[in-house]
Amino acid sequence: MLTSIILNNYTTFINETKFDFKATNIYHSLEDTNVAHNVLKGALFVGENASGKTQTLKSIVFLLDILLGNSDTNFLEKKSLYTSGKNYNLTYTFLVDEKNIEYNIEFEENTIKSEKLFLDQKLLIERLHESGKIHITEERKVEINNTISLLKQEYYKTKFDNEPTLIKWFTYLSNSIYINCLDGTTKIYNTSNLDEQILDKYLETKGVKDLNKLLNDINYNSEMVYDNILKQKNNKIESNKKMLGLKKKGTEVTIPIYLESKGNKNLLNIITPLSYALKNNCILIIDEFSSGLNNRLEEAVLKYFFNHSKESQIFIVSHSTSLIDNYIFRPDQIFTFRFDSNKGTLINRVSDESPRISQDLEKMYLNGVFDGRPTYNTKK
């Protein structure tokens, strides 16, 4: 599970900024659902537009691209445009099998300058420019291209066959999924399980039964229909290929998905990765989570995830302030964002203000207690 991210001179993060995803000891609410192994099962990022929320999500995606992606990654575009320095670095820490993994990577313009991988503070991999050392079994020197991660190269070369913790870590990473609800983008890293992660392929192999159970569990007002015939009141749509539609409970009318609302389309885009994440430990990364979704539906989806997740985590960006709620997220799971013209992105972890569980977090946020509240002029 992801326990922290440190960003330094990365995109809008001018100064070193740490996101801590370990559960704080001062809160014991939602411990049975939102916490595993003293690690939070995800976080909510809120704040003004262009304040760095999406860039934080993309820092996780960046790690996945570096280690698992098949295409070249443009490192230069990730350096902060607000500074003159050439270098930037990121540090990620994970908890796997009660062991701590720390991975640090530094970039210089469009090349990798250095990498270090630690397992319980023991150095396993190190590189400087194109020279590297591996310490996993026996020490050996390697040469690498300065645009390729040494960690990635070692994984594809050896699969870490002598280090089960690293194998489990890479499985966790490769199962992870990124979704942008605004434009419908989905990024899959474990291509061997596409039929469990992408809706169209899932329907072809497994049908709608399990997904409809999930929809029913959150008390959604419709169910999925996947058939050659979609019935309406006095009409029907027929096709040689099976079609997807939604049928409202208590009716016999099935609306084809292409005629459905943006909210319903987004829900169905989320539902398969959500189901997959609850069966396979991973990180589910969702940008613009609130696009078209009713506030109570957002709450139901998130509560369902936290109630059924074992070690999977969900990290979301949302502009829906109703999610700033003690009954959905713990205060240590909520981060507010603000952009300062001199300091770049500034974050505030709501738990840092020590709010009581009985307090209305949304109201406190809207009143400016947690910083990150937009201050647009609404009077003119």
Side-chain angles (χ1 to χ4, degrees), residues 127-167:
R127 70 98 61 80
L128 183 64
H129 296 296
E130 296 182 355
S131 297
K133 291 183 180 179
I134 308 296
H135 307 276
I136 295 178
T137 51
E138 58 183 7
E139 183 175 312
R140 54 187 169 86
K141 295 182 179 180
V142 293
E143 292 187 359
I144 56 275
N145 186 302
N146 61 13
T147 62
I148 298 175
S149 161
L150 173 56
L151 178 55
K152 176 181 180 178
Q153 177 176 296
E154 186 65 14
Y155 170 69
Y156 283 102
K157 182 178 180 180
T158 68
K159 298 295 183 181
F160 303 135
D161 52 2
N162 293 308
E163 186 44 75
T165 302
L166 295 184
I167 295 172

Side-chain angles (χ1 to χ4, degrees), residues 229-259:
I229 300 174
L230 301 182
K231 298 178 181 178
Q232 281 84 49
K233 192 70 174 177
N234 297 310
N235 192 23
K236 61 182 178 180
I237 301 174
E238 298 184 70
S239 174
N240 292 328
K241 295 183 178 180
K242 288 188 176 181
M243 302 169 287
L244 175 62
L246 280 176
K247 182 169 75 72
K248 282 187 170 57
K249 293 178 180 178
T251 77
E252 294 301 321
V253 177
T254 301
I255 307 298
I257 193 62
Y258 62 84
L259 293 178

Side-chain angles (χ1 to χ4, degrees), residues 2-15:
L2 180 63
T3 57
S4 71
I5 305 172
I6 300 175
L7 308 175
N8 190 5
N9 204 27
Y10 167 86
T11 59
T12 59
F13 294 87
I14 295 174
N15 300 307

Side-chain angles (χ1 to χ4, degrees), residues 86-324:
K86 296 181 179 180
N87 294 12
Y88 67 97
N89 60 74
L90 307 94
T91 300
Y92 306 86
T93 61
F94 290 81
L95 182 70
V96 179
D97 286 339
E98 302 301 324
K99 295 182 179 181
N100 293 300
I101 295 174
E102 178 182 315
Y103 178 60
N104 175 270
I105 185 165
E106 181 178 1
F107 299 89
E108 186 174 59
E109 294 187 330
N110 205 29
T111 62
I112 299 174
K113 179 180 178 181
S114 67
E115 282 178 89
K116 287 185 178 180
L117 177 71
F118 297 88
L119 179 60
D120 276 346
Q121 299 185 329
K122 178 185 177 182
L123 183 62
L124 297 185
I125 289 178
E126 59 180 324
R127 70 98 61 80
L128 183 64
H129 296 296
E130 296 182 355
S131 297
K133 291 183 180 179
I134 308 296
H135 307 276
I136 295 178
T137 51
E138 58 183 7
E139 183 175 312
R140 54 187 169 86
K141 295 182 179 180
V142 293
E143 292 187 359
I144 56 275
N145 186 302
N146 61 13
T147 62
I148 298 175
S149 161
L150 173 56
L151 178 55
K152 176 181 180 178
Q153 177 176 296
E154 186 65 14
Y155 170 69
Y156 283 102
K157 182 178 180 180
T158 68
K159 298 295 183 181
F160 303 135
D161 52 2
N162 293 308
E163 186 44 75
T165 302
L166 295 184
I167 295 172
K168 188 171 181 179
W169 176 44
F170 259 70
T171 300
Y172 188 81
L173 293 176
S174 65
N175 281 332
S176 299
I177 302 171
Y178 166 76
I179 303 168
N180 185 319
C181 290
L182 191 63
D183 61 17
T185 300
T186 300
K187 292 188 80 170
I188 304 292
Y189 294 90
N190 186 352
T191 56
S192 63
N193 286 334
L194 292 179
D195 61 335
E196 296 183 26
Q197 301 172 78
I198 296 178
L199 181 59
D200 290 348
K201 295 184 180 298
Y202 185 101
L203 294 173
E204 290 173 4
T205 57
K206 296 177 171 55
V208 298
K209 181 178 179 181
D210 289 344
L211 296 182
N212 275 337
K213 182 183 182 306
L214 197 161
L215 292 175
N216 188 63
D217 286 345
I218 64 174
N219 199 31
Y220 195 58
N221 66 358
S222 300
E223 63 179 13
M224 300 167 64
V225 175
Y226 187 60
D227 206 337
N228 299 90
I229 300 174
L230 301 182
K231 298 178 181 178
Q232 281 84 49
K233 192 70 174 177
N234 297 310
N235 192 23
K236 61 182 178 180
I237 301 174
E238 298 184 70
S239 174
N240 292 328
K241 295 183 178 180
K242 288 188 176 181
M243 302 169 287
L244 175 62
L246 280 176
K247 182 169 75 72
K248 282 187 170 57
K249 293 178 180 178
T251 77
E252 294 301 321
V253 177
T254 301
I255 307 298
I257 193 62
Y258 62 84
L259 293 178
E260 275 290 354
S261 67
K262 174 67 172 176
N264 275 343
K265 290 176 182 177
N266 275 340
L267 177 62
L268 296 191
N269 193 38
I270 292 171
I271 205 76
T272 315
L274 180 74
S275 173
Y276 180 81
L278 297 178
K279 299 172 185 174
N280 303 271
N281 293 330
C282 67
I283 304 174
L284 188 55
I285 309 153
I286 306 181
D287 201 358
E288 300 292 348
F289 177 73
S290 302
S291 296
L293 301 184
N294 177 272
N295 292 348
R296 296 305 299 273
L297 179 57
E298 293 176 290
E299 177 183 348
V301 169
L302 290 168
K303 294 290 284 187
Y304 188 88
F305 178 90
F306 290 135
N307 284 331
H308 293 84
S309 166
K310 295 177 181 178
E311 295 182 4
S312 286
Q313 295 169 284
I314 186 168
F315 294 92
I316 69 170
V317 163
S318 176
H319 290 284
S320 178
T321 61
S322 65
L323 295 181
I324 308 174

Side-chain angles (χ1 to χ4, degrees), residues 335-368:
F335 293 81
T336 65
F337 286 66
R338 177 170 65 88
F339 184 82
D340 181 277
S341 58
N342 295 315
K343 300 177 182 179
T345 294
L346 301 176
I347 67 166
N348 182 46
R349 196 179 189 185
V350 165
S351 57
D352 291 343
E353 304 297 330
S354 302
R356 296 187 302 274
I357 293 300
S358 59
Q359 290 182 289
D360 187 332
L361 296 185
E362 180 185 16
K363 186 175 181 180
M364 293 174 72
Y365 169 74
L366 294 175
N367 287 333

Side-chain angles (χ1 to χ4, degrees), residues 9-26:
N9 204 27
Y10 167 86
T11 59
T12 59
F13 294 87
I14 295 174
N15 300 307
E16 182 174 288
T17 305
K18 181 176 181 179
F19 293 85
D20 188 349
F21 303 123
K22 289 185 178 179
T24 55
N25 293 326
I26 61 173

